[in-house]
Amino acid sequence: MTDTLRPVETALPQAPGSPQKLKRSIGVVGGTLLTLSCVTPASTLFVVVPDLFGTLGTATALTIAIGSLLCIAVAFCYSELGTLIPSAGGEYAMVSTLAGRLAGWLVFVLSLLVVMIVPPVIAMGTADYLAPVVHLDPSLAGAGVMLLATLAGLLDLRANAWITGVFLVLEVIAAAVVAVLGFAHGHRGAGSLVSMQVAGADGHADTVTAMLVVSGLAIALFVTQGFSTAVYLSEELENPRRNVARTVLATLAISSVIILVPVVAITFGASDLTQLTGGDIGSMVTAWSNSAVGTFVSLCVALAIINAGIVMVIQNSRVLFASARDKAWPAPVNQVFSQLGRFGSPWVATLAVGVPGALLCFVNLDTLYGVTGVSVTGMYLLVAVAALLSRRAHHRHTPAWRMPLWPVLPVVLIAVLGYVLTRQETRYLLWTGGITAAATLYWVVYLRPRPDTRWLVSLPEDARV
């Protein structure tokens, strides 16, 4: 890994008032470690997947597998757009450039919702997995993790790549232990993966309908959502027109395996349908082995959650930094959010996403899940629309990784994601729609009348063709 995390070359002095630039200091391995940590497969497995077990029972693995297949098409879109437009702005820079400023602004709002909500959702799971050692309130523990991650996010990115790499190893070990124990104590065979059963309130088996699976796809998409972090890091990746695509696709493949294999093992190993639907993975591990192994796995997961918080704060701060550089806000706000600290990290933007994330740990968890699912699905849909437009005019000749089966994949993706959105709960659609409507009003009143001075989406100089 030493040949991918190279020393940062001494930067040339920047002219006063010129936009500050992030440093290219990581290669594919370092980027993949950071991106995998943002997917946080083990903490997703232990924090998010139990809720899917509670709704989908034996159909959980099937739903995640379908979601992972959809994510392949999404990853192709991200890979092409991320190499075509390598900006720390991620989705909003890609969509603004290809589909117009309003579409880019809307995808920015959705991505901001996702990057603000996901870290506290994951962080609140810390208390459950520290329980063998100490009992903590989930909201307080989550807030503590967010603040710790914020402090770590102020450090140099290369140092964080090493920190998250060590934590990621422990994360993968925990997932592997669960997989081995689940398969070793199997109570059912491969047929159970398509038996479509969940334990009802009366203890009897209920049927999981196709509509429930479709509804669950929004959360299944969220399970591997972090592979897009490679796009946010594109201004810090060396040779982004090649390495962004490699990092996106490698991360999706590795994270899908790390998550899906233990889910299948848990489905096989749960003693009965009631235990599977309960989704208490820690208790299952203890029952399959002993309390010492259960404690080890729980502590590994707690470290994985902290790891995820660090990387997500890094990702989120880059989004806010890029929006300030592109003048999304009034001048004083832009100036503050675009400041870089002594380690080259956007320190004000880091604090601005970390501290509110700690406060979100005190919001109802179901609401956070629901809004995140709708936001991720809507964001992917807009990215797919941008992918349809990626080969118009001069973009056709810009050096970039090109997806296979274009334009079929983006068209199919748009249709499927549109249908998935229609199957979400009305209250979550209203929450997300209300926030999007308020953002649209800000666009109409402030951004749209100032096309020459506000929302000027740009690429770093060394990425321009």
Side-chain angles (χ1 to χ4, degrees), residues 414-439:
I414 290 168
V416 172
L417 293 176
Y419 183 70
V420 170
L421 273 180
T422 65
R423 308 310 304 174
Q424 303 309 301
E425 290 190 32
T426 303
R427 56 177 172 159
Y428 303 141
L429 291 170
L430 289 175
W431 268 108
T432 311
I435 294 170
T436 305

Side-chain angles (χ1 to χ4, degrees), residues 148-180:
L148 180 62
T150 302
L151 292 175
L154 298 174
L155 299 175
D156 178 72
L157 188 62
R158 289 170 298 149
N160 273 312
W162 283 105
I163 294 171
T164 57
V166 172
F167 283 1
L168 183 61
V169 170
L170 293 174
E171 191 171 347
V172 173
I173 290 173
V177 169
V178 171
V180 170

Side-chain angles (χ1 to χ4, degrees), residues 37-319:
S37 297
C38 198
V39 177
T40 178
S43 53
T44 299
L45 171 67
F46 284 86
V47 177
V48 179
V49 170
D51 283 339
L52 285 176
F53 278 128
T55 305
L56 300 171
T58 59
T60 299
L62 176 64
T63 305
I64 293 175
I66 295 172
S68 297
L69 289 176
L70 285 175
C71 279
I72 293 175
V74 175
F76 282 166
C77 292
Y78 270 90
S79 295
E80 177 160 339
L81 299 182
T83 53
L84 188 66
I85 305 158
S87 167
E91 292 92 355
Y92 86 72
M94 301 185 305
V95 175
S96 293
T97 303
L98 296 167
R101 296 169 71 240
L102 175 57
W105 173 250
L106 293 179
V107 84
F108 166 70
V109 172
L110 292 174
S111 67
L112 194 61
L113 279 175
V114 172
V115 300
M116 291 298 293
I117 292 176
V118 172
V121 165
I122 298 297
M124 280 191 280
T126 310
D128 290 337
Y129 295 99
L130 286 179
V133 178
V134 60
H135 292 281
L136 299 171
D137 177 79
S139 296
L140 290 175
V145 168
M146 286 302 303
L147 293 176
L148 180 62
T150 302
L151 292 175
L154 298 174
L155 299 175
D156 178 72
L157 188 62
R158 289 170 298 149
N160 273 312
W162 283 105
I163 294 171
T164 57
V166 172
F167 283 1
L168 183 61
V169 170
L170 293 174
E171 191 171 347
V172 173
I173 290 173
V177 169
V178 171
V180 170
L181 290 175
F183 285 127
H185 294 79
H187 291 279
R188 53 187 64 82
S192 63
L193 299 176
V194 291
S195 62
M196 311 294 280
Q197 292 183 322
V198 63
D202 57 0
H204 297 291
D206 291 339
T207 300
V208 177
T209 65
M211 289 300 98
L212 275 176
V213 171
V214 171
S215 178
L217 282 176
I219 301 300
L221 290 172
F222 161 47
V223 164
T224 56
Q225 186 268 332
F227 63 81
S228 62
T229 301
V231 175
Y232 294 106
L233 297 175
S234 61
E235 290 186 35
E236 292 156 282
L237 279 170
E238 298 170 341
N239 195 359
R241 295 194 186 278
R242 180 186 64 186
N243 290 341
V244 168
R246 292 181 176 183
T247 304
V248 167
L249 296 173
T251 302
L252 176 60
I254 296 170
S255 61
S256 295
V257 171
I258 293 174
I259 293 170
L260 191 54
V261 171
V263 170
V264 172
I266 292 166
T267 305
F268 289 174
S271 60
D272 54 39
L273 190 59
T274 300
Q275 186 184 50
L276 179 67
T277 303
D280 190 346
I281 301 175
S283 296
M284 293 185 209
V285 170
T286 300
W288 293 332
S289 55
N290 55 55
S291 59
V293 174
T295 299
F296 170 76
V297 170
S298 293
L299 293 179
C300 284
V301 174
L303 287 174
I305 292 172
I306 296 172
N307 183 32
I310 294 172
V311 181
M312 288 179 184
V313 167
I314 291 172
Q315 167 191 326
N316 304 352
S317 64
R318 270 60 180 175
V319 178

